[in-house]
Coordinates of all heavy atoms in Angstrom, one line a residue:
M1 N 3.2 7.2 -0.2 CA 3.3 6.2 0.8 C 4.6 5.5 0.8 O 5.2 5.2 1.8 CB 2.1 5.2 0.7 CG 2.1 4.2 1.7 SD 0.6 3.3 1.6 CE 0.8 2.2 2.9
F2 N 5.1 5.2 -0.4 CA 6.3 4.5 -0.6 C 7.5 5.3 0.0 O 8.3 4.8 0.7 CB 6.6 4.2 -2.1 CG 7.9 3.5 -2.3 CD1 8.0 2.2 -1.9 CD2 8.9 4.1 -2.9 CE1 9.2 1.5 -2.1 CE2 10.1 3.5 -3.2 CZ 10.2 2.1 -2.8
S3 N 7.5 6.6 -0.2 CA 8.6 7.5 0.3 C 8.5 7.5 1.8 O 9.5 7.6 2.5 CB 8.5 8.9 -0.3 OG 7.3 9.5 0.0
L4 N 7.3 7.5 2.4 CA 7.2 7.4 3.8 C 7.8 6.1 4.4 O 8.4 6.2 5.4 CB 5.7 7.5 4.2 CG 5.4 7.4 5.7 CD1 6.0 8.6 6.4 CD2 3.8 7.4 5.9
L5 N 7.6 5.0 3.7 CA 8.2 3.8 4.1 C 9.7 3.9 4.2 O 10.3 3.4 5.1 CB 7.7 2.6 3.2 CG 8.4 1.3 3.4 CD1 7.9 0.7 4.8 CD2 8.0 0.3 2.3
L6 N 10.3 4.5 3.1 CA 11.7 4.6 3.1 C 12.2 5.5 4.2 O 13.3 5.3 4.7 CB 12.2 5.1 1.7 CG 12.0 4.1 0.6 CD1 12.4 4.7 -0.7 CD2 12.7 2.8 0.8
E7 N 11.5 6.6 4.5 CA 12.0 7.5 5.5 C 12.0 6.9 6.9 O 12.8 7.1 7.7 CB 11.0 8.7 5.6 CG 11.2 9.7 4.4 CD 10.1 10.8 4.5 OE1 9.6 11.1 5.6 OE2 9.8 11.3 3.4
R8 N 11.1 6.0 7.1 CA 10.9 5.3 8.4 C 11.7 4.0 8.5 O 11.6 3.4 9.5 CB 9.5 5.1 8.7 CG 8.7 6.5 8.8 CD 7.4 6.3 9.4 NE 6.7 7.5 9.4 CZ 6.7 8.4 10.5 NH1 7.4 8.1 11.5 NH2 6.0 9.5 10.5
A9 N 12.3 3.6 7.5 CA 13.0 2.3 7.5 C 14.3 2.4 8.4 O 15.1 3.2 8.2 CB 13.5 1.9 6.1
S10 N 14.3 1.5 9.3 CA 15.4 1.4 10.3 C 15.5 0.0 10.8 O 14.6 -0.8 10.6 CB 15.3 2.4 11.4 OG 14.3 2.1 12.3
S11 N 16.6 -0.3 11.6 CA 16.7 -1.6 12.1 C 15.7 -1.9 13.2 O 15.5 -3.1 13.6 CB 18.1 -1.8 12.6 OG 18.4 -0.9 13.7
A12 N 15.0 -0.9 13.7 CA 14.0 -1.1 14.8 C 12.7 -1.4 14.2 O 11.8 -1.7 15.0 CB 14.0 0.1 15.7
R13 N 12.5 -1.4 12.9 CA 11.2 -1.6 12.3 C 11.2 -2.9 11.5 O 12.3 -3.4 11.1 CB 10.9 -0.4 11.4 CG 10.8 0.8 12.2 CD 10.2 2.0 11.4 NE 10.4 3.2 12.0 CZ 9.5 3.7 12.9 NH1 8.5 3.1 13.2 NH2 9.8 4.9 13.5
W14 N 10.0 -3.4 11.2 CA 9.9 -4.6 10.4 C 9.1 -4.3 9.1 O 8.3 -3.4 9.1 CB 9.1 -5.7 11.2 CG 9.8 -6.3 12.3 CD1 10.1 -5.8 13.5 CD2 10.5 -7.6 12.2 NE1 10.8 -6.7 14.2 CE2 11.1 -7.8 13.5 CE3 10.5 -8.6 11.2 CZ2 11.8 -9.0 13.7 CZ3 11.2 -9.7 11.5 CH2 11.8 -9.9 12.7
A15 N 9.3 -5.1 8.1 CA 8.6 -5.0 6.9 C 8.1 -6.3 6.5 O 8.8 -7.3 6.7 CB 9.5 -4.4 5.7
V16 N 6.8 -6.4 6.1 CA 6.2 -7.6 5.6 C 5.8 -7.4 4.1 O 5.0 -6.5 3.9 CB 5.0 -8.1 6.4 CG1 4.4 -9.3 5.9 CG2 5.4 -8.2 7.9
I17 N 6.4 -8.2 3.2 CA 6.0 -8.2 1.8 C 5.4 -9.5 1.5 O 6.0 -10.5 1.6 CB 7.3 -7.9 0.9 CG1 8.0 -6.6 1.4 CG2 6.9 -7.8 -0.5 CD1 9.4 -6.5 0.8
F18 N 4.1 -9.4 1.1 CA 3.4 -10.7 0.8 C 2.8 -10.5 -0.6 O 2.2 -9.5 -1.0 CB 2.2 -10.8 1.8 CG 1.4 -12.0 1.5 CD1 1.8 -13.3 1.9 CD2 0.2 -11.9 0.9 CE1 1.0 -14.4 1.6 CE2 -0.6 -13.0 0.6 CZ -0.2 -14.3 1.0
C19 N 2.9 -11.6 -1.4 CA 2.4 -11.6 -2.7 C 1.5 -12.9 -2.8 O 2.0 -14.0 -2.8 CB 3.5 -11.7 -3.8 SG 2.8 -11.8 -5.5
G20 N 0.2 -12.8 -2.8 CA -0.7 -13.9 -2.9 C -1.0 -14.4 -4.3 O -1.7 -15.4 -4.4
S21 N -0.5 -13.7 -5.3 CA -0.7 -14.1 -6.7 C 0.2 -15.3 -7.0 O 1.3 -15.3 -6.7 CB -0.5 -13.0 -7.6 OG -1.3 -11.9 -7.4
N22 N -0.4 -16.2 -7.8 CA 0.4 -17.3 -8.3 C 0.2 -17.5 -9.8 O -0.6 -16.8 -10.4 CB 0.1 -18.6 -7.5 CG -1.3 -19.1 -7.7 OD1 -2.2 -18.3 -8.2 ND2 -1.6 -20.3 -7.3
E23 N 0.9 -18.4 -10.4 CA 0.9 -18.7 -11.8 C 1.6 -17.6 -12.6 O 1.8 -16.5 -12.2 CB -0.5 -19.0 -12.3 CG -1.1 -20.2 -11.6 CD -2.4 -20.6 -12.2 OE1 -2.7 -20.2 -13.3 OE2 -3.2 -21.3 -11.5
F24 N 2.1 -18.0 -13.8 CA 2.9 -17.1 -14.6 C 2.3 -15.9 -15.0 O 2.9 -14.8 -15.1 CB 3.5 -17.9 -15.8 CG 4.6 -17.2 -16.5 CD1 5.9 -17.3 -15.9 CD2 4.4 -16.5 -17.6 CE1 6.9 -16.6 -16.5 CE2 5.5 -15.8 -18.2 CZ 6.7 -15.9 -17.7
Y25 N 1.0 -15.9 -15.3 CA 0.3 -14.7 -15.8 C 0.3 -13.6 -14.8 O 0.0 -12.4 -15.1 CB -1.1 -15.0 -16.3 CG -2.1 -15.4 -15.3 CD1 -2.9 -14.4 -14.7 CD2 -2.3 -16.7 -14.9 CE1 -3.8 -14.8 -13.7 CE2 -3.2 -17.1 -13.9 CZ -4.0 -16.1 -13.3 OH -4.9 -16.5 -12.4
N26 N 0.5 -13.9 -13.5 CA 0.6 -12.9 -12.4 C 2.1 -12.6 -12.1 O 2.4 -12.1 -11.0 CB -0.1 -13.4 -11.2 CG -1.6 -13.3 -11.3 OD1 -2.1 -12.3 -11.8 ND2 -2.3 -14.3 -10.8
Y27 N 3.0 -12.8 -13.0 CA 4.4 -12.6 -12.8 C 4.7 -11.2 -12.3 O 5.5 -11.0 -11.5 CB 5.2 -12.9 -14.1 CG 6.6 -12.5 -14.0 CD1 7.5 -13.4 -13.4 CD2 7.1 -11.4 -14.5 CE1 8.8 -13.1 -13.3 CE2 8.5 -11.1 -14.5 CZ 9.3 -11.9 -13.8 OH 10.7 -11.6 -13.7
R28 N 4.0 -10.2 -12.8 CA 4.2 -8.8 -12.4 C 4.1 -8.5 -10.9 O 4.8 -7.7 -10.4 CB 3.3 -7.8 -13.2 CG 1.9 -7.9 -12.9 CD 1.0 -7.2 -13.9 NE -0.4 -7.3 -13.6 CZ -1.2 -8.3 -13.8 NH1 -0.6 -9.4 -14.3 NH2 -2.4 -8.3 -13.4
H29 N 3.1 -9.2 -10.3 CA 3.0 -9.1 -8.9 C 4.2 -9.6 -8.1 O 4.6 -9.0 -7.1 CB 1.7 -9.8 -8.4 CG 0.5 -9.3 -9.1 ND1 -0.6 -10.1 -9.4 CD2 0.1 -8.0 -9.5 CE1 -1.5 -9.4 -10.0 NE2 -1.1 -8.1 -10.0
T30 N 4.6 -10.7 -8.5 CA 5.8 -11.3 -7.9 C 7.0 -10.5 -8.1 O 7.8 -10.2 -7.2 CB 6.1 -12.8 -8.4 OG1 4.9 -13.5 -8.2 CG2 7.2 -13.4 -7.7
A31 N 7.2 -10.0 -9.3 CA 8.3 -9.1 -9.6 C 8.3 -7.8 -8.8 O 9.3 -7.3 -8.3 CB 8.3 -8.7 -11.1
D32 N 7.1 -7.3 -8.6 CA 6.9 -6.1 -7.8 C 7.4 -6.3 -6.3 O 8.0 -5.5 -5.7 CB 5.5 -5.5 -7.8 CG 5.1 -4.9 -9.1 OD1 6.0 -4.6 -9.9 OD2 3.9 -4.7 -9.3
S33 N 7.0 -7.5 -5.8 CA 7.4 -7.9 -4.4 C 8.9 -8.0 -4.3 O 9.5 -7.4 -3.3 CB 6.8 -9.2 -4.1 OG 5.4 -9.2 -4.2
F34 N 9.6 -8.6 -5.2 CA 11.0 -8.7 -5.2 C 11.7 -7.3 -5.4 O 12.7 -7.0 -4.7 CB 11.6 -9.7 -6.2 CG 11.3 -11.1 -5.8 CD1 10.6 -11.9 -6.6 CD2 11.8 -11.6 -4.6 CE1 10.3 -13.2 -6.3 CE2 11.6 -12.9 -4.3 CZ 10.8 -13.7 -5.1
Y35 N 11.1 -6.5 -6.2 CA 11.6 -5.1 -6.4 C 11.5 -4.3 -5.1 O 12.5 -3.6 -4.7 CB 10.8 -4.4 -7.5 CG 11.2 -2.9 -7.6 CD1 12.5 -2.6 -8.2 CD2 10.4 -1.9 -7.2 CE1 12.9 -1.3 -8.3 CE2 10.8 -0.6 -7.3 CZ 12.0 -0.3 -7.8 OH 12.4 1.0 -7.9
M36 N 10.4 -4.4 -4.4 CA 10.2 -3.8 -3.1 C 11.3 -4.2 -2.1 O 11.9 -3.4 -1.3 CB 8.8 -4.0 -2.5 CG 8.6 -3.4 -1.1 SD 8.8 -1.6 -1.1 CE 7.4 -1.1 -2.0
Y37 N 11.6 -5.5 -2.1 CA 12.6 -6.1 -1.2 C 14.0 -5.4 -1.5 O 14.7 -5.0 -0.6 CB 12.7 -7.6 -1.4 CG 13.8 -8.2 -0.5 CD1 13.5 -8.5 0.8 CD2 15.0 -8.5 -1.0 CE1 14.5 -9.1 1.6 CE2 16.0 -9.1 -0.3 CZ 15.8 -9.4 1.1 OH 16.8 -9.9 1.8
H38 N 14.3 -5.3 -2.8 CA 15.6 -4.8 -3.2 C 15.7 -3.3 -2.9 O 16.7 -2.8 -2.4 CB 15.9 -5.0 -4.7 CG 16.3 -6.4 -5.0 ND1 17.5 -6.9 -4.6 CD2 15.7 -7.4 -5.6 CE1 17.6 -8.1 -4.9 NE2 16.5 -8.5 -5.5
V39 N 14.6 -2.5 -3.0 CA 14.5 -1.1 -2.6 C 14.8 -1.0 -1.1 O 15.6 -0.1 -0.7 CB 13.2 -0.5 -3.0 CG1 13.0 0.9 -2.4 CG2 13.1 -0.4 -4.5
L40 N 14.2 -1.8 -0.3 CA 14.4 -1.7 1.1 C 15.9 -2.0 1.4 O 16.5 -1.3 2.2 CB 13.5 -2.7 1.9 CG 12.0 -2.4 1.9 CD1 11.3 -3.6 2.5 CD2 11.8 -1.1 2.7
M41 N 16.5 -3.0 0.8 CA 17.9 -3.4 1.1 C 18.8 -2.2 0.6 O 19.8 -1.9 1.3 CB 18.3 -4.7 0.3 CG 17.5 -5.9 0.8 SD 17.7 -6.2 2.6 CE 16.1 -5.7 3.2
D42 N 18.5 -1.6 -0.5 CA 19.3 -0.6 -1.1 C 19.3 0.7 -0.2 O 20.1 1.6 -0.3 CB 18.9 -0.2 -2.5 CG 19.3 -1.3 -3.5 OD1 20.1 -2.2 -3.2 OD2 18.8 -1.2 -4.6
N43 N 18.3 0.8 0.6 CA 18.1 2.0 1.5 C 18.4 1.7 3.0 O 17.9 2.4 3.8 CB 16.7 2.6 1.3 CG 16.6 3.3 0.0 OD1 17.0 4.4 -0.2 ND2 16.0 2.6 -1.0
G44 N 19.1 0.6 3.2 CA 19.6 0.4 4.6 C 18.7 -0.4 5.5 O 19.0 -0.4 6.7
F45 N 17.7 -1.0 5.0 CA 16.8 -1.7 5.9 C 17.5 -3.0 6.3 O 18.2 -3.6 5.5 CB 15.5 -2.0 5.1 CG 14.3 -2.2 6.0 CD1 13.5 -1.1 6.3 CD2 13.9 -3.4 6.6 CE1 12.4 -1.2 7.1 CE2 12.8 -3.5 7.4 CZ 12.0 -2.4 7.7
D46 N 17.3 -3.4 7.5 CA 17.9 -4.6 8.0 C 17.2 -5.9 7.4 O 16.0 -6.1 7.6 CB 17.8 -4.7 9.5 CG 18.5 -5.8 10.2 OD1 19.1 -6.7 9.5 OD2 18.5 -5.9 11.4
K47 N 18.0 -6.7 6.7 CA 17.3 -7.8 6.0 C 16.8 -8.9 7.0 O 15.9 -9.7 6.6 CB 18.3 -8.5 5.0 CG 19.5 -9.2 5.7 CD 20.3 -9.9 4.6 CE 21.5 -10.6 5.3 NZ 22.3 -11.3 4.3
D48 N 17.3 -8.9 8.2 CA 16.8 -9.8 9.2 C 15.4 -9.3 9.8 O 14.8 -10.1 10.5 CB 17.8 -9.9 10.4 CG 19.1 -10.6 9.9 OD1 19.0 -11.5 9.0 OD2 20.1 -10.4 10.5
K49 N 15.0 -8.2 9.4 CA 13.7 -7.6 9.8 C 12.7 -7.5 8.7 O 11.7 -6.8 8.7 CB 13.9 -6.3 10.4 CG 14.9 -6.3 11.6 CD 14.2 -6.2 12.9 CE 15.3 -6.2 14.0 NZ 14.8 -6.2 15.2
V50 N 12.9 -8.3 7.6 CA 12.0 -8.3 6.5 C 11.5 -9.7 6.3 O 12.2 -10.7 6.2 CB 12.7 -7.9 5.1 CG1 11.8 -8.0 4.0 CG2 13.3 -6.5 5.3
I51 N 10.1 -9.8 6.2 CA 9.5 -11.1 5.9 C 9.0 -11.0 4.5 O 8.1 -10.1 4.2 CB 8.3 -11.3 6.9 CG1 8.8 -11.4 8.3 CG2 7.6 -12.6 6.5 CD1 7.8 -11.3 9.4
L52 N 9.5 -11.9 3.6 CA 9.1 -11.9 2.2 C 8.4 -13.2 2.0 O 9.0 -14.3 2.1 CB 10.3 -11.7 1.3 CG 10.1 -11.8 -0.2 CD1 9.2 -10.7 -0.7 CD2 11.4 -11.8 -0.9
A53 N 7.1 -13.1 1.6 CA 6.3 -14.3 1.3 C 5.7 -14.3 -0.1 O 4.9 -13.4 -0.4 CB 5.2 -14.5 2.3
V54 N 6.2 -15.1 -1.0 CA 5.7 -15.2 -2.4 C 5.6 -16.6 -2.8 O 6.3 -17.5 -2.3 CB 6.6 -14.4 -3.3 CG1 6.6 -12.9 -3.0 CG2 8.0 -14.9 -3.4
Y55 N 4.7 -16.9 -3.8 CA 4.7 -18.2 -4.4 C 6.0 -18.4 -5.2 O 6.6 -17.5 -5.8 CB 3.5 -18.3 -5.4 CG 2.2 -18.6 -4.7 CD1 1.3 -17.6 -4.4 CD2 1.8 -19.9 -4.4 CE1 0.1 -17.8 -3.8 CE2 0.6 -20.2 -3.8 CZ -0.2 -19.1 -3.5 OH -1.4 -19.4 -2.9
N56 N 6.4 -19.6 -5.3 CA 7.6 -20.0 -6.0 C 7.3 -20.9 -7.1 O 7.9 -22.0 -7.3 CB 8.7 -20.6 -5.1 CG 10.0 -20.8 -5.7 OD1 10.3 -20.1 -6.7 ND2 10.8 -21.6 -5.2
D57 N 6.3 -20.5 -8.0 CA 5.9 -21.4 -9.0 C 6.2 -20.9 -10.4 O 5.9 -21.5 -11.4 CB 4.4 -21.7 -8.9 CG 3.5 -20.4 -9.0 OD1 4.1 -19.3 -9.0 OD2 2.3 -20.6 -9.1
I58 N 6.8 -19.8 -10.5 CA 7.2 -19.2 -11.8 C 8.3 -19.9 -12.5 O 8.3 -20.1 -13.7 CB 7.5 -17.7 -11.7 CG1 6.2 -16.9 -11.2 CG2 8.1 -17.1 -12.9 CD1 6.4 -15.5 -10.9
V59 N 9.3 -20.3 -11.7 CA 10.5 -21.0 -12.3 C 10.1 -22.3 -13.1 O 10.6 -22.5 -14.1 CB 11.4 -21.4 -11.1 CG1 12.6 -22.2 -11.7 CG2 12.0 -20.1 -10.5
S60 N 9.1 -23.0 -12.6 CA 8.7 -24.3 -13.2 C 7.5 -24.2 -14.1 O 7.0 -25.2 -14.7 CB 8.5 -25.3 -12.2 OG 7.4 -24.9 -11.3
S61 N 7.0 -23.0 -14.3 CA 5.8 -22.8 -15.2 C 6.1 -23.2 -16.6 O 7.1 -22.9 -17.2 CB 5.3 -21.3 -15.1 OG 4.3 -21.1 -16.0
S62 N 5.1 -23.8 -17.3 CA 5.2 -24.1 -18.7 C 5.3 -22.9 -19.6 O 5.7 -22.9 -20.7 CB 4.1 -25.0 -19.1 OG 2.8 -24.4 -19.0
Q63 N 4.8 -21.7 -19.1 CA 4.8 -20.5 -19.8 C 6.1 -19.7 -19.7 O 6.3 -18.8 -20.4 CB 3.6 -19.6 -19.4 CG 2.3 -20.2 -19.7 CD 1.2 -19.3 -19.1 OE1 1.2 -19.0 -17.9 NE2 0.3 -18.9 -20.0
N64 N 6.9 -20.1 -18.8 CA 8.2 -19.4 -18.5 C 9.2 -19.7 -19.7 O 9.6 -20.8 -19.9 CB 8.8 -19.9 -17.2 CG 10.1 -19.1 -16.8 OD1 10.6 -18.3 -17.6 ND2 10.5 -19.4 -15.6
P65 N 9.6 -18.7 -20.4 CA 10.5 -18.9 -21.5 C 11.9 -19.2 -21.1 O 12.7 -19.7 -21.8 CB 10.5 -17.6 -22.3 CG 10.0 -16.5 -21.3 CD 9.2 -17.3 -20.3
S66 N 12.2 -18.9 -19.8 CA 13.6 -19.2 -19.2 C 13.5 -20.2 -18.1 O 13.6 -19.9 -16.9 CB 14.2 -17.9 -18.7 OG 14.3 -17.0 -19.7
K67 N 13.2 -21.4 -18.5 CA 12.9 -22.5 -17.5 C 14.1 -22.6 -16.5 O 15.2 -22.5 -16.8 CB 12.8 -23.8 -18.1 CG 11.5 -23.9 -19.0 CD 10.5 -24.7 -18.2 CE 9.3 -25.0 -19.1 NZ 8.2 -24.1 -19.0
G68 N 13.7 -22.7 -15.2 CA 14.7 -22.8 -14.1 C 15.3 -21.5 -13.7 O 16.1 -21.5 -12.8
K69 N 14.8 -20.4 -14.2 CA 15.3 -19.1 -13.8 C 14.2 -18.2 -13.3 O 13.1 -18.3 -13.8 CB 16.0 -18.4 -14.9 CG 17.3 -19.1 -15.4 CD 17.9 -18.3 -16.5 CE 19.1 -19.1 -17.0 NZ 19.8 -18.4 -18.1

């Protein structure tokens, strides 16, 4: 399915990446969402046609060993 997405990626198409997981223990879901965004960008997808929606609570989490990053 992933390769199909890359084959069909063009400026006439849209991508929606949504991560509904929050809190630090779900970090892998957020990381996967950002990875998908970077894969789309690396393969010529138009960044103005990508909607990326993720929680932004990892940076300030007490479990984050790299606070602020």
Side-chain angles (χ1 to χ4, degrees):
M1 181 170 181
F2 180 69
S3 61
L4 178 64
L5 175 65
L6 291 179
E7 288 176 24
R8 299 191 180 270
S10 73
S11 61
R13 301 190 189 272
W14 284 81
V16 178
I17 304 168
F18 177 80
C19 179
S21 297
N22 63 346
E23 299 187 20
F24 194 77
Y25 69 91
N26 282 320
Y27 174 78
R28 67 191 181 283
H29 301 143
T30 303
D32 288 345
S33 300
F34 287 119
Y35 175 71
M36 178 60 70
Y37 178 84
H38 285 290
V39 168
L40 290 173
M41 296 303 104
D42 290 346
N43 286 281
F45 209 93
D46 184 358
K47 70 178 180 180
D48 293 332
K49 304 257 182 184
V50 176
I51 300 169
L52 176 64
V54 297
Y55 278 96
N56 189 20
D57 61 351
I58 293 174
V59 174
S60 60
S61 173
S62 63
Q63 294 176 306
N64 185 354
S66 302
K67 293 258 190 260
K69 297 180 182 179

